[in-house]
Amino acid sequence: MPGRECFHCKQWIEDGEEHDCRATTEAALTQELSDDLRDAWERLRETAVSFGDQRIYASHKSIMFSRKSCYFFVRPKRNFLELCVFLGHTLKAPQVRRIDRASKSKVVHVIHVKHRDEVEAPITDWLREAYEFSDVLTSKASTARAKSKHKPTKSRISIR
């Protein structure tokens, strides 16, 4: 039977069949959370919204919080919320489960949240720092792009 396997969800899609596994919503990702996790999710979202202008959207199995680029995202799991926070330095704290280099300038910190009471300092401080850091990164990137576009070129004069 002609068709293909979706790269993201591994579901088999017949030719001509519509498929958009990425078309998910916050509600769909959070609908099966326990009461404690739902409360923690709501507090996380409220905290992030209080920082200012941003885009919040669901993508595959995560809920992304983004300015020009993502500064943190949440993966709702059965027993916890997995926060992935992007900062410019490495944190050393008991709440941080894993640390990975995301890019030359970003370090991702993986944090598990199980209860609403955990969504307070220092986690909220790290989220605010990530929000502000994302603005610094995008301003540095735009400055670097502007400088590279306006490099003076050497003109060649040939005399014959």
Side-chain angles (χ1 to χ4, degrees):
M1 222 181 268
R4 64 180 175 84
E5 181 181 49
C6 175
F7 175 77
H8 301 284
C9 68
K10 307 299 183 210
Q11 180 182 345
W12 186 258
I13 301 123
E14 299 295 330
D15 280 347
E17 180 183 343
E18 286 191 35
H19 175 76
D20 188 6
C21 64
R22 291 181 169 220
T24 188
T25 63
E26 284 181 51
L29 291 172
T30 58
Q31 72 185 359
E32 294 182 16
L33 293 177
S34 67
D35 290 341
D36 283 343
L37 289 179
R38 184 172 308 282
D39 289 345
W41 160 247
E42 289 169 0
R43 190 167 192 172
L44 267 171
R45 194 177 195 294
E46 289 166 6
T47 301
V49 167
S50 74
F51 298 154
D53 190 34
Q54 62 189 296
R55 184 170 166 234
I56 302 171
Y57 59 97
S59 177
H60 199 48
K61 294 182 180 180
S62 302
I63 302 167
M64 317 296 279
F65 292 78
S66 165
R67 295 181 84 182
K68 296 226 178 193
S69 67
C70 179
Y71 70 95
F72 92 96
F73 62 89
V74 178
R75 282 191 195 114
K77 304 281 188 174
R78 179 180 301 241
N79 298 317
F80 58 89
L81 300 174
E82 184 177 64
L83 272 68
C84 296
V85 183
F86 297 97
L87 294 169
H89 60 92
T90 302
L91 296 172
K92 292 186 193 273
Q95 297 91 333
V96 179
R97 295 285 188 121
R98 192 176 80 236
I99 300 168
D100 292 318
R101 171 113 352 236
S103 71
K104 188 176 175 182
S105 57
K106 288 190 205 177
V107 178
V108 64
H109 300 80
V110 179
I111 302 165
H112 291 184
V113 173
K114 296 180 181 178
H115 194 270
R116 179 181 179 95
D117 293 344
E118 294 177 72
V119 185
E120 57 186 25
I123 292 175
T124 54
D125 297 337
W126 298 332
L127 294 177
R128 178 172 292 284
E129 183 182 344
Y131 178 84
E132 293 166 357
F133 179 64
S134 70
D135 194 34
V136 170
L137 280 181
T138 54
S139 67
K140 282 183 182 179
S142 62
T143 303
R145 271 186 248 115
K147 284 182 180 178
S148 68
K149 285 182 182 177
H150 300 293
K151 281 186 179 176
T153 57
K154 294 180 182 179
S155 58
R156 288 191 177 188
I157 302 173
S158 62
I159 303 174
R160 289 189 181 191

